[in-house]
Each structure stands twice: as C-alpha cells, then as structure tokens.
Amino acid sequence: MRRDFKGPASCRSELVIGQEEPSAATREQLARGGSVLLHGPAGIGKSTLLRALTAEYAPTARTVLRCSATESESHLPFLALADLFGLELDEVSGGLPAAQRTALESALTGRGESTLQRDGLALRLAVLSALRALAAKGPVLLVADDLQWLDSASAELLGFAARRLGGTPVQMLCAVRTEDEEYDRHLRACPPDTLSVRLGPLSRDQVSTLLDHRGYTGLPRSTVREIHRTSGGNPLFALELGRALAETPASPRPGEPLPVPTSLRALVLSRLEMLSDEARRTLLVASAGARPTPALLHAAGRENAEAECAQAAELGLLATEPEGPAVRFAHPLISAALYAEAPAQERRAAHAALSTAASDPIERARHLALASTGTDPEVAARLAEAAALARDRGAPSVAASLGLLAARHTPADGEPGPDERRLQAAEDAITAGEADLARDIAHEVLTRAAVPAERVRAWMVVIEAAGQALGDVDAVFPQALADAGDDPRLLALVHYMLAWRALIVEGDFPEARQEAAHAAELAARAGDRRTELMSLAHQASTETLMGHPDAAATTRRALEEPQDDYVACHHNGVGSARFRWLLMSGRLAEARATITALLREVRRRGMVESEVHFLRSHAETELLSGHCGRALDLARQSLRLARDTGIGEGASAMLASLAEASGGDTGRALALAREAVDHAEEDGDQMYLSRALAALGYAQFVAGDAQAAVDALRRVRELELGLGITDPARGRWHGDLAEALVLVGEPDEAQQVVDVAREHALRLGREGVLAVLDRAEALVRAARGETEAAVAQLTSAQDRLAKLGNALEEARAAFALARLRTLPPAPGSARAGGSPVPGPTSYDEAARLFRRCRALPWLRLVDAAARARPARPGSGPGAGPETAPAALDGLAAMERQVASLVMEGATNREIAARLFVSVKTVEATLTRVYRKLGIRSRVDIVRLAAGRRAR
C-alpha cells in the first residue's frame, strides 16, 4: 500500500487521529460483513485509515486482494485487475470455463488476443467467477486505494462483480479522493450495500495531536493554529507544514506567516528544488508514464534511474515498493505538480522518449500524441489503431479518449476525416456508459458538419445517449429527418429509430409497425440489407404481438435470402421473430426446435445478451408444453445470467415468476413478479409492464388471492388495450382473469372477458387460447348453477388441450372437473335429490396430470381441495340431507348451492373452494339467504335440514 509523505521512521504508525466517528461506523459495517467506501479530499487520511482497517481485518480473511492506482495509470485497461488477481491467477484459473480463463489470463498478462470484443461478457464473468471461487474457500477482503485513478476497464469489472456477489463472503474496503465532486459514481465499483464514509478535516486540537505523534513537538500554540489554518485541517498538508518548520533554522515568531507556501503544490515544488536536474528529469518521465519501472526509465534514456529515484525517495517524494519494481510517487499530487510545472518542451520530450520505450501499443500511441503538435496523419492512424485495440480489450472509455486524440491529429482533408473519428469516439463513449461525453461530441460535430451521413450519425448518437428517455429528444427526430434528406439509407436509420420511439415513448404498436415497415422499404431501396432485415424483424414482432393478420407474411419476408448471420441469430432479429410467431400460433414443437437452434448458435458465438433472451424464450416454450420442471430450470438459468450480466433482469424475473408459480414456489413467484413490475415501471417500459403484471396476477391466483389477481389482470387488460395488443396468445392471461373474476363473484365481467378474447382468438386461429377460454367459461356457468353444462364444456376443453400438447392447461381443466363433480346437485335441478354429476369424483386424475407436469404448486392445491371435500349425503354418520328443505326453493341457484353445502357442514372456505368463488362471495350469499329465509345464522340452516330429516 502507498505511504504518505515521508516522516520520522520511528514515529510512523497506523494510529488514526481525528477520525474516531467514521472509524467506528466503518468497523461496525465491516463486522457485519459489509463493505466500505472512504471518501474525502487528498491528504485527508483515507490511506492511513485504510491501512489501519486492513491491518485489523486482514487476519480474519483467507484472501486479501489489494490494488492502489495512480493517475498516470488510469488510461491503461486492466492494470488494477492485474494488481488484484496477479498472485491468485494460478489458484482460480483452473476452475474457470475456457473462454473466461482465456479472457482473464490475457487481461492479466497482456499476452494473447482478448476475446472481450467478441464476447462482451467473458472477462466480466471471469472476474465474478474468480471472486466466487476464492470466496468458496474462505472470506475475501478486497482493498482498493485511490479508486478515482482506477482504470475504467478495471472499475467496470469490479463494479460488475460487486453488484452480483450477494450472499458470498467478499468484502470491499476502498478509498477515493473526491475533493468537491460527488462520490456516488465511485459506488458503482462497490457492492450495493456499501457504506460510504466521508472523512472530514481535523480540528486544531487534533492537528496538534497529529504533529506531536509524528515527532513535531514543542511548536507554539500560535504556530499550531497557523498550521491548522493553512492546512485547512488536512492532516497530510499539516504534516508537511510541520516538517518544513522543523527543517527551518529559525521558527517564525507568533503572528508571522509560516515560512512555507500555503499550498501543497508549491510545497512539493520547493522540495523538488533539492533534486538534481537529472533526477528531476527522471521523475518527470516517471510522472508522464503509466506504471513506470526502472527498466522503463532506462529504455526512455534515463541511464542513472536507480540512483536518481533513490535520491527522490530520501526526500520523501517516492515511496519504496518492496513487493514490486514499480516506481511510485508518495502521493499522486507530487506527480501532478511535477508534471504541471515542467515546461511544455520538456513534457513533450518525456513523452517522445516513452513513445518508443513503452511496451504497450496503447501507451506508445498516447505518448506519441502528447509528444506531437499539430496534425499528423501518421500519428492519427496510430492512435486510431490503438483505439481499436482498446475497444477489442473491452476498454471503450480508453478507446474514446484515444479516438479524440486521433481526431485532433487528423488533417481536415484526411481520410477518414476528423469528425468521423470523433463520431467513432462518441460511439465508444456510448458503449462505455459515458452518455454525456458522447452527447457533447455529437453536438460538437453537429455545429460544423455539413456531410449528411455524419450529421445523421451524430443525431443517432444523441438519440442513443438519451437511453430510455427518448421523449427528451423528440426535437431531434425532425432534424435528423431533415439532414437525411432523400437519402434512403440515412432515412432508413432514422425511421428504424422512430419505430422504437413509437413503442417506448408512445406505446403505439400500429405506429411502430408502420415506421418499421417504412424503414425496411427504404433500406431495401438503398441496398442496406442489415438495416432492412432488422426493420423487417421489428415489424414482424410488432405485428405478431398486436395480432395483425400480416404477421406470418412479414416473418416470411424477413427470412428470405440473402440473410445476415448477425441479424439471423440476434434476439431482435428474424429468427427470434419467427420463433415468437410459432409460439403464439401454438406450434410448440417447431417453436422448441427453433429456439434450441438459436440458443445453440448464440452460445457458439458468445452472444450473452441473446443467450439470456433465448433461455427465457425456451423456458416459455416448455411452460406452455407443461414441462414445468424443465421450464423452471431454464428460467432460473436465464435469471442468474441476467443478474450476472445486468441484461434483461426484469424480463427474466417475469418469466421466472411464471415458472415458479407453475413448478416451484408461489412465494418466490410473487417476489419475482413484483421485482419485474418494479423494473418495468422504473424503465417506463409499457410492453414489459403488462407482461410483468400478468405474471403477478397468475402468481396471486395460484397463491389463492383471487381479488389481488383480478386487480393486477385488470391493469393488464387496460394496458394492452391502450397499446393496441389484441392477440390473446401474447400473454395468455384472459383465462386467469375470467376465473379470478368468478371467484370474486363477478361472473358477468368474466363472461365479457371470455367473449372479447374469443373473438380475437377465432380470427387468429389460436386453438389453445380458445380451449382455455372454454375452460374459463365453464366455470362461469358453474357459478351460475349450470353445473351439467359446465362439466360438458370442461370435458371438451380438456380433450382439446390434451391434443394440442398444452399439458398444464389440460391438468387445470381436469382439476376444475374434479371440483365440479364433487358438488351436490342444485335444488330444483333435474337431478335434485339424485346423485352428483356422473364421472370420476376423486382428484386422482388431476393429481396425475399435474404430477406429470411437475407442477408442484398445483399439486398442493389439489391436495388441499381433496382434504377440504365434505362427505357426501348418506355416506356416514351425520350425513347431510337427502334433499334440501322446500323453503330453499325460493332461493337463486347460487344461494341454494351455498345453503345446501352449509347443511352438509362445509365451512365458508370449503364452500368457496368447491363453488369456485371467494370466501367474501360466500359470506355475501349467506347474508341474502338469511334475509330471504327469515333466519339469522348458519345454525338455523342446519336446523332446517334437521327438521326435514325428522319429518
């Protein structure tokens, strides 16, 4: 770990002075197993506290990983990663998948070709897997100082892993210099529950204690007061002022200014004067380099580097590095001050030397740029090559910086031109998540660019920089259209983005379809096959979701040759569009074959985002087929990968909720559904909000909360009506809503839901949906007392669902049949006084079918219904009446059935389960029965039955 400025060796310790309160909060957090981010201005004591805490907590960890970056290293990717994992590579690499191991070894050693550009997540997953592997062997403490200088690639990787290490014994202890800036952005490299602790300035008494502890004793009170004022309570500054005073022969008189500059920079420069000219030049080269070593300094022409560095170390300007050969400044401000004060000519000379001495091509190109002035096509070309290399290494932020340098050195008439390189830098910035930088570059280009292609490309950057907030850039679209003029290739790009705007901003499916179709037509005219195929895929998917009759034809057009390999297997491409059409058409075998082929291809290509999507789609296919165990496994894989990668978490949580409600745990299903709803609402994603709410409604239905299911599914109905989605196969929630409405005593609304959905299902030929709607309608009939008709309709629906291969829906129909067949005949019906509905009366068939599907939550419901079934009349002691009293003849069908079940001794909950209504509906029905019969309680109903038996 880096040391502070040199102090008396005998006095150095890790005693922390003046930070008792933040120290206590930090220790409490670490004791709980949490992580901590220390932040504050330079010299405030972060490194000192970090060392103290590390010494205290390192013995409790099996593995301690350390890194401490410098400003000069911040532009090179993976240096911090090498510090952290360099010594642990052999221990963890053997257990990693081949692709991850290759990516990690390449990043840490600098040898081999990184595959990160092709597999955008291999290295991220490798770092995550490495930390998990270390944690599996014992607690891990990761210590990172000067987080602000962490290279962007390492920071991204750390943040990626940290956000996904919940439940593993990995703690992070970090420090970052913030000055007046916000520290929030640095939390991205830390776990979500990290405690941020700001270190503030010391009081005058604390400064005095610090000076005494470091050996600067006997200073007058006025001098200590002046040190406190001049240092602003900064312990590092205070110590340097104390040291300067100690080295001054005559102490200042009370009230006289201190005989030192009032800023650290000036203090550093005054101490640099004690260096020889050659040593100062050596330090300048070191300050200009990234991760300087004696070998690098030798290669840069500093022949006496060791002796000159030793002289600087004696003066406290350099820190000794017993564990490595790197030349490190005692504080980054020393390096910054040295570099800033050097004449421009000397700085350029240092960079020129390093442009040939540095081993990394990215560093060589950067130094070449900083050593050059004006435009130079050769320098620009080398910088562009370095940017491409950084991009391939997965360091788009570095690529953006190099791209901007390349643009600066590109002649105005160069090919490619400076604005084209700026736009490439802007696109790299988008990839790096630096939307503000990308937007600024694009606007800069737009202030002077006259070439339509460059202007449209810049507008596309502005639109992409807006993210989900496309409504914020509404004014951009007309300008982009104007710049595109009548160029069909440029117009195709704009209209493709307009299609997405229609979905995200407006939630307007017809408009999205129209824009996508127009984009495809323009791209075809321009010969831009990739944009044409992407637009056709967008159009096909939109038409499928909205139930448009042209969906199949558009999908066939998108599948025509010539194809583009990237589009063919992309999750927004034509293969995905065809799969969605097959699935909604009920062609489950073809849908399964299609999705498994797509999944196999994207795994071969390392397209992780598409893999997340296709795992989810495969799970949906298995769920519709009734393979609940397989669906649950696939859905959990998708969710795990989505959380590991940060891609599609909401959508994967939605599908995992459906799978859990069907084949896993209903409590987890509810939690996942709510998580999916939260994701969609935060993103303003109306499309996935409706799917998430449908999953929530289904989970609530299976959990037995019919009213909550109705509330959620009514929202789905409203959303899809507003979006223009008419195909009931899109979410398949209509049957669940109708059944839940029956349970809460709203059969009329349930019938309306069935009627509307049936109209669209008939138009589109959705046979599976029609069978489910028949099942729901049968329950409406049962609720109205039409039990025999309901049983006939349910029997037909079950047979059709079995033929279609919808095994779970078939089992649900069998369950409904079993419940109906246990009902006594309604008084006044043709079978009054006779036997129940003919057919199997046990729940064995439903249990068999659910067991075949591995539908565990449904099996539990079957078991509960079987246990709650009262005995039949005449089946044993205390049996119910042979027929209902004549007084019941004046009741409505539902009222007669409820009263009859009360006579049998059924509880309100048991009656609700048998009649497919809610407990609240049973209670309301009983209230009406009491009023009509002139009685006050269910005991009176039982007395009616007893009186009939006595006669």
Side-chain angles (χ1 to χ4, degrees):
M1 301 297 291
R2 177 176 311 155
R3 296 190 304 164
D4 288 337
F5 282 84
K6 185 178 179 182
S10 61
C11 298
R12 290 192 63 82
S13 77
E14 300 306 329
L15 176 66
V16 179
I17 296 173
Q19 304 291 356
E20 289 79 11
E21 184 174 340
S23 295
T26 299
R27 286 181 169 86
E28 183 180 347
Q29 172 76 353
L30 291 172
R32 288 198 300 261
S35 297
V36 175
L37 175 68
L38 305 173
H39 63 96
I44 204 67
K46 302 181 298 298
S47 295
T48 300
L49 181 56
L50 194 74
R51 286 195 299 268
L53 292 168
T54 301
E56 183 175 344
Y57 286 93
T60 66
R62 178 188 179 273
T63 306
V64 180
L65 307 175
R66 306 172 189 247
C67 71
S68 183
T70 64
E71 184 176 12
S72 59
E73 299 171 352
S74 61
H75 69 283
L76 288 178
F78 308 138
L79 289 184
L81 190 69
D83 283 345
L84 290 169
F85 290 101
L87 299 178
E88 309 295 336
L89 181 59
D90 291 339
E91 181 176 354
V92 300
S93 63
L96 298 179
Q100 295 181 22
R101 181 172 62 252
T102 300
L104 186 60
E105 290 176 347
S106 177
L108 297 187
T109 64
R111 298 191 298 270
E113 179 184 358
S114 170
T115 62
L116 189 56
Q117 180 64 18
R118 295 194 305 273
D119 179 359
L121 291 164
L123 185 53
R124 296 169 179 81
L125 295 175
V127 172
L128 178 60
S129 299
L131 285 171
R132 284 175 173 163
L134 291 172
K137 300 177 182 179
V140 176
L141 178 65
L142 193 154
V143 183
D145 199 5
D146 285 319
L147 208 61
Q148 74 278 1
W149 301 132
L150 213 64
D151 62 274
S152 60
S154 296
E156 179 187 351
L157 292 167
L158 278 182
F160 175 89
R163 291 189 296 273
R164 294 161 175 83
L165 286 171
T168 59
V170 177
Q171 293 177 270
M172 290 183 67
L173 179 56
C174 307
V176 61
R177 182 197 304 176
T178 54
E179 300 295 344
D180 293 329
E181 67 186 60
E182 295 294 329
Y183 66 90
D184 292 359
R185 64 187 182 91
H186 298 292
L187 283 171
R188 290 180 295 184
C190 304
D193 62 345
T194 297
L195 174 68
S196 58
V197 177
R198 179 169 181 81
L199 303 188
L202 305 185
S203 68
R204 188 175 64 188
D205 289 343
Q206 290 166 344
V207 166
S208 178
T209 302
L210 177 64
L211 290 169
D212 288 344
H213 176 68
R214 292 299 179 92
Y216 306 121
T217 59
L219 294 173
R221 186 179 297 272
S222 60
T223 301
V224 173
R225 185 172 59 246
E226 188 64 15
I227 289 174
H228 178 257
R229 186 189 66 80
T230 302
S231 68
N234 185 298
L236 178 60
F237 293 2
L239 286 172
E240 286 305 298
L241 290 168
R243 180 180 291 114
L245 282 170
E247 295 170 354
T248 302
S251 298
R253 296 175 185 177
E256 289 185 353
L258 298 177
V260 291
T262 57
S263 69
L264 179 62
R265 175 175 170 179
L267 177 60
V268 171
L269 293 176
S270 70
R271 298 188 66 201
L272 287 171
E273 292 176 358
M274 291 181 278
L275 286 173
S276 66
D277 290 343
E278 290 302 311
R280 183 165 177 163
R281 291 191 183 95
T282 295
L283 290 192
L284 176 61
V285 174
S287 71
R291 205 174 183 81
T293 62
L296 177 65
L297 296 176
H298 275 295
R302 308 312 302 168
E303 297 178 357
N304 298 315
E306 287 90 347
E308 290 157 357
C309 287
Q311 181 188 358
E314 286 296 319
L315 294 170
L317 296 169
L318 293 179
T320 57
E321 290 287 342
E323 297 180 0
V327 176
R328 290 187 180 273
F329 287 88
H331 193 282
L333 288 177
I334 301 174
S335 174
L338 173 65
Y339 184 84
E341 286 299 309
Q345 185 176 355
E346 290 187 16
R347 291 200 300 266
R348 286 196 295 272
H351 286 298
L354 289 168
S355 69
T356 58
S359 60
D360 188 270
I362 294 176
E363 187 179 356
R364 289 199 301 270
R366 174 178 170 271
H367 288 304
L368 179 62
L370 295 173
S372 307
T373 58
T375 60
D376 186 324
E378 182 180 346
V379 172
R382 288 204 30 201
L383 284 164
E385 291 172 2
L389 180 58
R391 197 177 304 122
D392 185 60
R393 288 183 180 180
S397 181
V398 175
S401 299
L402 292 169
L404 289 175
L405 284 173
R408 187 181 307 165
H409 288 280
T410 300
D413 58 351
E415 184 60 40
D419 281 342
E420 186 170 345
R421 282 180 166 148
R422 287 188 184 92
L423 288 170
Q424 179 61 65
E427 291 161 358
D428 286 329
I430 285 285
T431 303
E434 300 177 13
D436 291 342
L437 174 61
R439 188 184 302 109
D440 290 344
I441 296 171
H443 282 306
E444 179 188 353
V445 171
L446 288 166
T447 59
R448 59 173 174 271
V451 178
E454 290 181 350
R455 291 188 62 81
V456 171
R457 188 176 173 187
W459 288 127
M460 295 302 102
V461 169
V462 173
I463 293 170
E464 287 191 61
Q468 291 293 112
L470 287 181
D472 294 344
V473 292
D474 266 351
V476 166
F477 289 97
Q479 297 178 71
L481 286 170
D483 285 330
D486 58 359
D487 186 327
R489 183 177 63 86
L490 301 180
L491 285 170
L493 293 172
V494 180
H495 282 282
Y496 179 69
M497 294 304 297
L498 282 168
W500 283 108
R501 180 197 172 279
L503 283 182
I504 294 173
V505 179
E506 303 295 340
D508 190 334
F509 274 65
E511 178 68 16
R513 172 186 175 271
Q514 183 177 343
E515 288 290 357
H518 189 36
E521 179 186 349
L522 290 165
R525 195 189 314 162
D528 183 353
R529 184 61 174 164
R530 174 167 290 189
T531 302
E532 179 189 8
L533 288 172
M534 290 298 289
S535 300
L536 284 171
H538 191 294
Q539 179 185 349
S541 296
T542 304
E543 289 175 346
T544 299
L545 293 173
M546 65 190 295
H548 196 281
D550 292 344
T554 304
T555 301
R556 285 193 294 270
R557 283 181 60 203
L559 290 168
E560 292 175 356
E561 296 294 339
Q563 281 294 309
D564 181 296
D565 290 342
Y566 172 81
V567 177
C569 66
H570 191 272
H571 59 275
N572 285 330
V574 294
S576 181
R578 179 173 182 271
F579 159 77
R580 180 57 52 187
W581 178 80
L582 288 169
L583 190 69
M584 293 177 67
S585 299
R587 296 163 66 170
L588 297 181
E590 292 176 77
R592 182 183 293 107
T594 299
I595 199 61
T596 53
L598 286 169
L599 186 57
R600 184 168 54 249
E601 178 63 14
V602 297
R603 280 175 166 164
R604 185 184 71 80
R605 290 171 172 261
M607 298 170 65
V608 178
E609 182 175 4
S610 293
E611 182 180 353
V612 171
H613 184 96
F614 291 146
L615 277 170
R616 191 165 64 240
S617 298
H618 195 179
E620 187 176 2
T621 307
E622 298 303 329
L623 200 56
L624 283 175
S625 302
H627 304 154
C628 297
R630 176 61 174 155
L632 187 58
D633 180 55
L634 289 164
R636 286 174 175 171
Q637 286 184 50
S638 176
L639 183 60
R640 174 65 180 270
L641 191 55
R643 286 178 170 165
D644 280 350
T645 60
I647 295 172
E649 292 181 74
S652 292
M654 175 274 297
L655 206 286
S657 172
L658 290 172
E660 291 283 355
S662 296
D665 178 77
T666 51
R668 180 166 170 77
L670 289 167
L672 287 168
R674 292 187 180 106
E675 177 186 336
V677 170
D678 289 343
H679 274 291
E681 289 180 333
E682 289 171 9
D683 295 340
D685 190 337
Q686 298 298 301
M687 289 180 59
Y688 263 110
L689 178 57
S690 66
R691 293 294 310 272
L693 285 168
L696 178 60
Y698 175 67
Q700 289 166 332
F701 182 80
V702 178
D705 192 343
Q707 186 59 58
V710 167
D711 294 341
L713 295 173
R714 278 173 173 163
R715 283 189 65 192
V716 177
R717 180 175 58 186
E718 294 170 4
L719 281 168
E720 294 202 351
L721 182 63
L723 291 170
I725 299 174
T726 59
D727 192 337
R730 191 252 180 172
R732 299 176 186 267
W733 50 266
H734 307 76
D736 293 334
L737 175 56
E739 292 185 30
L741 284 167
V742 169
L743 289 175
V744 299
E746 298 288 350
D748 292 341
E749 184 181 348
Q751 187 64 56
Q752 291 173 3
V753 170
V754 170
D755 292 342
V756 171
R758 179 181 283 133
E759 179 182 353
H760 293 296
L762 285 169
R763 173 175 60 85
L764 296 167
R766 304 300 193 224
E767 293 298 327
V769 173
L770 287 169
V772 169
L773 292 174
D774 278 354
R775 185 188 69 211
E777 187 174 49
L779 299 180
V780 174
R781 289 183 169 180
R784 290 172 172 167
E786 304 170 17
T787 308
E788 294 183 21
V791 168
Q793 191 170 17
L794 271 174
T795 303
S796 172
Q798 181 182 348
D799 291 343
R800 288 155 57 203
L801 288 166
K803 292 175 182 177
L804 291 168
N806 294 0
L808 181 60
E809 302 293 357
E810 175 195 357
R812 287 181 62 179
F815 184 26
L817 270 173
R819 296 169 79 177
L820 280 185
R821 282 173 170 152
T822 62
L823 290 174
S829 69
R831 296 182 299 106
S835 63
V837 177
T841 57
S842 76
Y843 290 92
D844 291 348
E845 175 66 5
R848 182 185 69 80
L849 293 174
F850 281 131
R851 195 173 293 111
R852 184 182 68 180
C853 295
R854 290 185 59 190
L856 301 182
W858 286 101
L859 272 172
R860 288 190 283 269
L861 290 176
V862 171
D863 183 58
R867 289 199 310 269
R869 183 181 62 193
R872 287 191 182 179
S875 62
E882 295 179 2
T883 60
L888 301 189
D889 293 344
L891 300 179
M894 173 65 76
E895 294 166 351
R896 288 196 302 271
Q897 288 188 335
V898 169
S900 296
L901 290 169
V902 169
M903 291 177 180
E904 292 184 9
T907 66
N908 286 1
R909 184 171 296 278
E910 290 168 347
I911 295 170
R914 297 179 67 187
L915 295 181
F916 300 93
V917 296
S918 67
V919 173
K920 185 179 295 186
T921 299
V922 173
E923 292 170 349
T925 303
L926 279 174
T927 299
R928 293 194 300 271
V929 170
Y930 300 155
R931 186 175 62 250
K932 289 183 178 181
L933 297 181
I935 59 179
R936 291 183 296 180
S937 70
R938 59 189 296 127
V939 174
D940 293 331
I941 297 179
V942 175
R943 286 172 179 164
L944 283 174
R948 180 57 180 260
R949 281 198 300 272
R951 288 193 295 271

